[in-house]
Amino acid sequence: MAGVSLHKVRKVYGDSTAVEETSLEIVEGELLALLGPSGCGKTTTLRMIAGFVVPTSGSVRIGDRDVTAVPVHKRNVGMVFQGYALFPHLTVAQNIAFGLKLHGWDKGRLQQRVNEMLSLARLETYAERYPKALSGGQQQRVAIARAIAIQPEVLLLDEPLSALDAQLRSQMRAQIRELQRQAGITSVFVTHDQEEAMAIADRIGVMNLGRLEQLGSAQDLYQRPASRFVATFIGKCNLIEGKSNGPGEFVTTDGHRLQVPEGSASHDATVVSFRPENAWLSAQPDGTANALPVTLKASVYLGPSVEHEVITGGGSRLTISAPARADTSHWLPGQALFAQWRVDDGLCLA
């Protein structure tokens, strides 16, 4: 087990930059998720750690070794691919044993390790089955067990749940987290699914257009996003256009003055953001919070909550979420109301 360090790593293909200069420290034993939309550079970053892609500049270290120029087979990393990549002509036990044979394990030690992996992945009763006789979740557990079997210093997972249906993905992410914790292996998990990343990772690195936008815990990213992109990519977020008007104040495009936390209104701020669940609707301002005139467009009942869609005078569409049991149900489409939120629940972002 070892940590991973990327120092000013950059990857360029011709005239296209896949990954901008990025530095990143992955702590020994943690599970880090790289999260972002397609084409943001997360898989390229993972493949540079694995050795499938050589950085244009910068360095990659695993533990105390500089592995920037070290080939894949000498890096001691385990890789789990999006499509599992199991050998169809080999049984579950034989798939798990494959890497051990390549590493020259003797027969007795190899069989013991295979048995350990079958137990860890809860696959004991499937040892003699072939991949075609397994469900998607079972195949994924085989792929993970095979990757862990060789005792890699780092485990790399490239969107390993994307081929599964929503219910099975939810089950599998918990199992992956359990396997990773039991094995104690430093792991990097690539995904475009924010819920998946928040459920499975110790920390999340959000990537966009080849840049690492923000790195932190799920709570950090949700409550204190560093940019407009992070705010809108992690959960639902309302954005109101305008500009900073000095310390603690923001002016919307239609001239309304809003209070913001002291120090958050930098000179380049262009939006105020707040989460739907941190706001409420009222017929009149109550004087305790920001109050912005809005018009109710529609209300949608979602079981636990009701989501109100409103529009400001400046044309910003906002979502206000209220618990269904506490919702004021007499609001009607077209009604003039006020969207309110506490000052500390808002952020100014560039």
Side-chain angles (χ1 to χ4, degrees), residues 76-91:
N76 193 25
V77 298
M79 188 84 182
V80 179
F81 298 94
Q82 188 171 343
Y84 315 145
L86 299 179
F87 298 109
H89 62 289
L90 300 181
T91 66

Side-chain angles (χ1 to χ4, degrees), residues 252-264:
T252 68
T253 54
D254 54 338
H256 290 279
R257 296 177 184 275
L258 302 173
Q259 299 304 304
V260 294
E262 288 289 340
S264 77

Side-chain angles (χ1 to χ4, degrees), residues 262-318:
E262 288 289 340
S264 77
S266 61
H267 69 280
D268 58 347
T270 58
V271 292
V272 163
S273 73
F274 60 92
R275 299 291 181 184
E277 67 273 17
N278 290 334
W280 64 94
L281 291 175
S282 63
Q284 294 293 332
D286 61 19
T288 65
N290 280 314
L292 190 65
V294 297
T295 301
L296 180 63
K297 302 300 289 184
S299 298
V300 180
Y301 177 76
L302 298 175
S305 65
V306 176
E307 286 197 352
H308 301 290
E309 182 187 350
V310 300
I311 188 167
T312 70
S316 296
R317 290 185 176 272
L318 311 176

